[in-house]
Amino acid sequence: MPPSRWFGLFLITRATGALVVPPLLLVDHLDGNEFVLAGVALGYSAASAGVLARWPALQQSRSLWVADCAVLLSLVLAYGEWRSPFYLLALSSLVLPATGLSLRGAVAFGGGFVAAYLGVALLVGVDWASISTTARMQSFGALLLVPLVVTVALAFASDLLRRLERERQVAERLALEAERQRIAWELHDSAKQRIHAAHLLLSAVADAGPASRSLELAVEELRAAIEDMDTSLRDLREPLFDGGSLGAALRQWAERLQAGSDVRIEVVGDAPTLPAFTAAQAYRIGREALTNAVRHASASHAEVVLDVSGERLSLLVSDDGEGLPAEVRAGANGLASMQHRAEALGAELDVVTRPGGRGTIVALDAPLVEAAHV
């Protein structure tokens, strides 16, 4: 799982809070006990940041959020005064929950923080006589309101960014769909019709008398071109796969390939949270590999294995078909297309014949962080 986009803000606020604590303690005449508390604060800040950076999945752990707040508020309690410098450090514990929850959930978490801090203030003792002045009362009220203000502001910002990201994805999808439909219609209305007409003319010449080998090859090339164009047109008119469950999408395609045939296809594993571009290219590679196995290699069994480990996607397609042909079929560009998609992902793609010469293995190893988009 990649780090949260807000983790950088968390690191900045945590580091700032930890660095500000010692000078503030010096102003308050640091003694031996406060030396220990300052050391604990610095050590905990470094350790918590390191753990969350090492294991990004923990950045979304609600129990860890609560534990983090509890540890930092316990430093306020140990300090023994509600105006503790550790309060600033404790505010950093609100960044991840405020940006990881819904607005309502974030407000609830912020309210819980305020209630916990008020409880700590009451435990250490609030000198109500001393805060009866306007300045002291404003200070105490501000300490209670700041967590809610911070939480609401971050929650609104996070929600706005999520909405903008969704709108961007929708706009990109609509643009891609429109472009695909335009290309499909242009191919159907112009290029395909011209190729089909040329094929008919050459076929008529070939049928009229003895045909040369060159003419026969030209007819075969045109026939293969028409078949490939029909395949491309079907692909362009299908809905664009841009995320979701890669395993479910490949299982759906496997069901279409198995319909009316004896071939058996298994899809093992899943990759449900891929970046849209990675998901689309990996789906096309897996789909092309299965199509080649069933339609061109006469396979009776094929297996797809999906795995996401760390920041890499592994896609393995194996079959028991005829293996790689000695000569590439006229007009065929499936292998080149898969290689191009893999290069766009910055991935490694291996296509080899299985040991024993029976069947093919297509192995994709793709990063999940960046893609070339070429």
Side-chain angles (χ1 to χ4, degrees):
M1 177 180 176
S4 164
R5 69 174 68 188
W6 294 98
F7 185 58
L9 178 61
F10 168 81
L11 290 178
I12 292 172
T13 55
R14 174 115 332 164
T16 302
L19 293 175
V20 165
V21 164
L24 292 179
L25 291 176
L26 284 173
V27 172
D28 284 347
H29 307 293
L30 190 69
D31 59 27
N33 182 54
E34 290 164 342
F35 264 124
V36 174
L37 291 178
V40 170
L42 290 172
Y44 177 76
S45 298
S48 59
V51 167
L52 291 175
R54 177 65 180 82
W55 292 284
L58 294 178
Q59 296 172 22
Q60 303 302 318
S61 172
R62 300 188 181 192
S63 58
L64 192 66
W65 296 341
V66 174
D68 190 44
C69 289
V71 170
L72 295 175
L73 286 176
S74 68
L75 290 177
V76 178
L77 181 62
Y79 184 76
E81 186 177 341
W82 58 271
R83 291 185 301 163
S84 165
F86 297 109
Y87 173 84
L88 298 175
L89 185 57
L91 288 178
S92 67
S93 64
L94 295 173
V95 174
L96 295 179
T99 55
L101 296 171
S102 64
L103 179 60
R104 181 178 299 179
V107 171
F109 195 96
F113 180 94
V114 171
Y117 172 70
L118 180 59
V120 168
L122 294 175
L123 284 175
V124 299
V126 177
D127 186 354
W128 299 106
S130 67
I131 67 170
S132 59
T133 63
T134 301
R136 291 278 185 141
M137 181 62 71
Q138 288 178 344
S139 176
F140 188 64
L143 292 181
L144 292 177
L145 289 177
V146 163
L148 283 177
V149 173
V150 169
T151 302
V152 171
L154 288 175
F156 266 114
S158 178
D159 183 65
L160 178 60
L161 287 177
R162 283 193 290 264
R163 290 173 182 268
L164 289 175
E165 179 66 17
R166 285 196 296 269
E167 291 299 324
R168 183 190 65 79
Q169 291 177 356
V170 169
E172 287 183 355
R173 181 185 177 88
L174 291 175
L176 284 172
E177 290 285 5
E179 182 66 10
R180 282 156 56 90
Q181 290 297 324
R182 183 188 66 80
I183 295 173
W185 283 115
E186 286 184 358
L187 286 174
H188 181 272
D189 293 342
S190 58
K192 182 184 175 182
Q193 301 303 323
R194 290 178 179 272
I195 292 175
H196 187 62
H199 179 260
L200 290 176
L201 290 172
L202 287 176
S203 297
V205 173
D207 292 341
S212 67
R213 180 56 181 164
S214 297
L215 184 58
E216 291 176 354
L217 289 175
V219 172
E220 291 178 6
E221 288 285 351
L222 284 173
R223 184 183 299 112
I226 292 173
E227 291 177 357
D228 287 341
M229 187 168 289
D230 284 337
T231 300
S232 298
L233 286 171
R234 283 195 299 270
D235 289 345
L236 284 170
R237 287 168 178 166
E238 285 186 356
L240 183 66
F241 177 73
D242 59 356
S245 171
L246 179 58
L250 288 173
R251 287 186 184 92
Q252 190 175 38
W253 180 247
E255 290 174 0
R256 292 179 59 179
L257 291 175
Q258 292 175 109
S261 69
D262 296 330
V263 66
R264 183 168 58 89
I265 301 175
E266 297 178 86
V267 180
V268 181
D270 200 359
T273 57
L274 299 177
F277 184 78
T278 303
Q281 301 301 331
Y283 170 68
R284 289 294 180 179
I285 291 173
R287 173 173 159 164
E288 182 69 27
L290 287 175
T291 302
N292 289 341
V294 174
R295 295 181 178 172
H296 303 304
S298 303
S300 61
H301 176 259
E303 182 181 56
V304 180
V305 179
L306 289 168
D307 181 56
V308 175
S309 178
E311 295 182 347
R312 300 197 72 84
L313 164 69
S314 172
L315 169 66
L316 184 70
V317 182
S318 60
D319 65 74
D320 61 355
E322 298 172 355
L324 294 173
E327 295 184 5
V328 178
R329 178 176 58 88
N333 59 2
L335 293 179
S337 174
M338 288 193 292
Q339 188 63 51
H340 178 74
R341 294 181 187 280
E343 291 174 358
L345 291 174
E348 297 178 6
L349 180 70
D350 293 319
V351 183
V352 298
T353 299
R354 292 175 62 178
R358 182 69 182 178
T360 305
I361 296 176
V362 177
L364 174 72
D365 180 32
L368 300 181
V369 179
E370 295 182 355
H373 288 62
V374 294

